[in-house]
Amino acid sequence: MKILFVHQNFPGQFPHLAPALAARGHQVLALTDEKNQRPSPVATMRYKAPDPVETNSAFGRSYAGHAERGYLAARAARALRDRHGFTPDIIIGHTGWGETLFLQEIWPKAKLLVYAELLYRTRGHDVGFDPEFQADTDEARMMALARSAHLIQGIFQADAAISPTRYQADSFPPELRARITVIHDGIDTARVCPNPAAHLTLPGGQVLRAGDEVLSYVSRSLEPYRGFHVFMRALPEVLAARPQAQVVVVGAEGVSYGNAPKDGGSWKARMLAELGDRLDLSRVHFLGRVAYPDYLSLIQLAKVHCYLTYPFVLSWSLTEALSAGGYVVASDTEPVRELIRDGENSRLVSFFDVPALSAALIRGLAGDPDADRLRAAARRTILDGYDLHRHSLPRQIAWVESHAPMG
């Protein structure tokens, strides 16, 4: 078959699936944004990056921007068809940025398979979950609906869809949910595994090793969606109770989800200002974004790993921390509950309960007598249901090939 992947940040969620399909003899090509410089595992073409869309309507801005990206992707697809004679049997794309919206107008006979990451909901989930930073207003709910338009259209047009967790698939209405198969992206458990020799050198030269009293927190960006404010508020008590503890925070100061602070600056700056001298900054190390080997060493050596999230998309950092045999303290939110059972393979605490989070982190750093059992069960969770080569990738390949054209 001829298979075209479309993703503005390719390989995105497809770093294993695309080359695996190529290895099985399929002709695989990728189409991505011209600004994307990530290494590609397959032959790649690029489309023109969209300019910002000007519109007076805040409610229409999201769809207009995604439709413009969809048009530019379709224009590049037309060039592939007309100049290079490429006609895919299957198109695989992510609905999040609008790239798949018009591709079947270029190739009407191609099967369209999409990655359905999440549909915004108007009450009690990523919108309206945290009253401190999310006003539960009519306008906020309307905006969530407006931001969902291209996502709904993307699933409606697709022949089938895939989602990494049940919670994320269930965010779509029943009519669309019926098209979605739940298959996690998969974790390379041979690489992401326990490592008693793991170590990490901090910028100041201090070397942290497995067995040290290290608390890790990882997020793409340091922001409320991933509970950064809750984590920071828990630290003064943790540092006071554990004078040898070192805290390592990985993540950029920008915003990936939600909004920046209303008064400007970053959430990191805001939390540091709020906590003031209650925080011993000599033992809290902000590393920004780090290379993957350093990140992997951190989650392997950490005595405790903290993962907090609104009800939203699941982070790879949680599944990888579990695969590394980490002692994880996580928020009792969806979709975390799909992986973690409190006291069986990790610890869960209420997202908003700062004292409970502090107590759970202190318990882990002090040496929870159940730590070895929890660590082993955490890794077993990933081995048994989320392993890339034994579970996820074979199911993804079968899902794609099941949509091969007849005859």
Side-chain angles (χ1 to χ4, degrees):
M1 288 190 297
K2 294 181 179 179
I3 301 173
L4 175 69
F5 282 86
V6 184
H7 194 301
Q8 55 91 30
N9 196 34
F10 187 83
Q13 285 81 9
F14 312 118
H16 308 292
L17 179 59
L21 289 169
R24 290 174 65 82
H26 301 297
Q27 181 181 346
V28 179
L29 182 67
L31 181 63
T32 191
D33 188 304
E34 65 183 358
K35 294 181 180 179
N36 176 21
Q37 299 301 315
R38 297 182 67 188
S40 174
V42 298
T44 301
M45 304 289 287
R46 287 173 166 77
Y47 62 81
K48 180 183 181 298
D51 296 322
V53 173
E54 298 294 334
T55 174
N56 293 326
S57 170
F59 295 97
R61 189 174 299 127
S62 175
Y63 185 82
H66 292 118
E68 178 66 14
R69 182 179 289 275
Y71 167 69
L72 293 171
R75 193 172 67 177
R78 185 169 57 198
L80 278 174
R81 181 195 67 188
D82 296 347
R83 298 177 190 172
H84 303 283
F86 182 78
T87 298
D89 299 297
I90 290 177
I91 303 167
I92 303 174
H94 193 302
T95 61
W97 301 278
E99 293 158 303
T100 66
L101 290 177
F102 310 121
L103 293 179
Q104 284 187 311
E105 300 306 311
I106 306 300
W107 294 300
K109 294 183 179 180
K111 291 290 184 70
L112 177 60
L113 310 182
V114 298
Y115 191 95
E117 193 160 25
L118 188 78
L119 185 68
Y120 300 111
R121 291 191 271 191
T122 59
R123 288 175 173 85
H125 294 270
D126 59 300
V127 177
F129 172 74
D130 188 346
E132 182 177 0
F133 302 118
Q134 296 178 324
D136 189 10
T137 63
D138 293 338
E139 285 73 16
R141 292 190 293 273
M142 293 175 192
M143 185 62 73
L145 289 175
R147 292 171 62 204
S148 297
H150 75 287
L151 300 173
I152 293 172
Q153 183 180 347
I155 303 294
F156 180 78
Q157 293 173 322
D159 294 281
I162 191 172
S163 191
T165 69
R166 184 182 63 255
Y167 169 79
Q168 289 167 252
D170 289 348
S171 68
F172 292 85
E175 298 85 353
L176 300 180
R177 173 66 177 89
R179 305 183 184 197
I180 302 174
T181 299
V182 177
I183 307 175
H184 190 264
D185 303 328
I187 301 300
D188 185 350
T189 59
R191 183 180 187 188
V192 187
C193 60
N195 180 11
H199 64 278
L200 177 67
T201 302
L202 298 176
Q206 181 179 1
V207 180
L208 303 177
R209 305 182 186 279
D212 292 344
E213 204 167 306
V214 176
L215 168 60
S216 61
Y217 171 93
V218 175
S219 180
R220 180 186 300 176
S221 298
L222 307 180
E223 57 192 334
Y225 261 71
R226 297 309 190 191
F228 176 67
H229 56 309
V230 179
F231 175 74
M232 291 293 289
R233 288 165 180 164
L235 287 186
E237 186 173 347
V238 172
L239 293 171
R242 305 303 305 169
Q244 301 304 312
Q246 302 289 328
V247 180
V248 181
V249 179
V250 169
E253 289 193 45
V255 172
S256 297
Y257 310 112
N259 300 310
K262 291 182 179 180
D263 54 357
S266 68
W267 290 109
K268 173 187 170 183
R270 173 168 173 163
M271 294 313 303
L272 290 176
E274 175 184 319
L275 295 170
D277 58 8
R278 296 176 55 212
L279 202 61
D280 180 1
L281 290 177
S282 69
R283 294 192 285 139
V284 182
H285 311 278
F286 293 95
L287 303 188
R289 290 185 178 172
V290 300
Y292 186 83
D294 290 334
Y295 152 77
L296 180 57
S297 294
L298 174 62
I299 61 173
Q300 288 172 325
L301 68 84
K303 194 167 187 179
V304 179
H305 179 75
C306 183
Y307 178 76
L308 307 173
T309 185
Y310 287 4
F312 195 56
V313 301
L314 188 71
S315 304
W316 286 330
S317 63
L318 175 62
T319 46
E320 290 184 322
L322 296 172
S323 182
Y327 180 102
V328 176
V329 176
S331 57
D332 190 8
T333 50
E334 295 289 3
V336 177
R337 298 188 191 114
E338 289 186 38
L339 286 86
I340 292 180
R341 297 166 300 281
D342 183 38
E344 294 186 24
N345 60 352
S346 290
R347 301 291 186 192
L348 293 178
V349 297
S350 171
F351 181 91
F352 298 104
D353 194 338
V354 173
L357 177 60
S358 295
L361 297 175
I362 291 168
R363 179 182 186 181
L365 291 169
D368 185 341
D370 293 325
D372 289 345
R373 175 180 62 81
L374 293 173
R375 287 175 176 273
R379 178 158 173 81
R380 179 54 55 188
T381 296
I382 304 303
L383 290 171
D384 288 348
Y386 299 84
D387 182 87
L388 174 66
H389 296 291
R390 289 193 296 147
H391 297 287
S392 296
L393 189 55
R395 292 186 63 205
Q396 290 171 1
I397 292 170
W399 175 72
V400 173
E401 293 183 341
S402 72
H403 293 90
M406 302 299 292

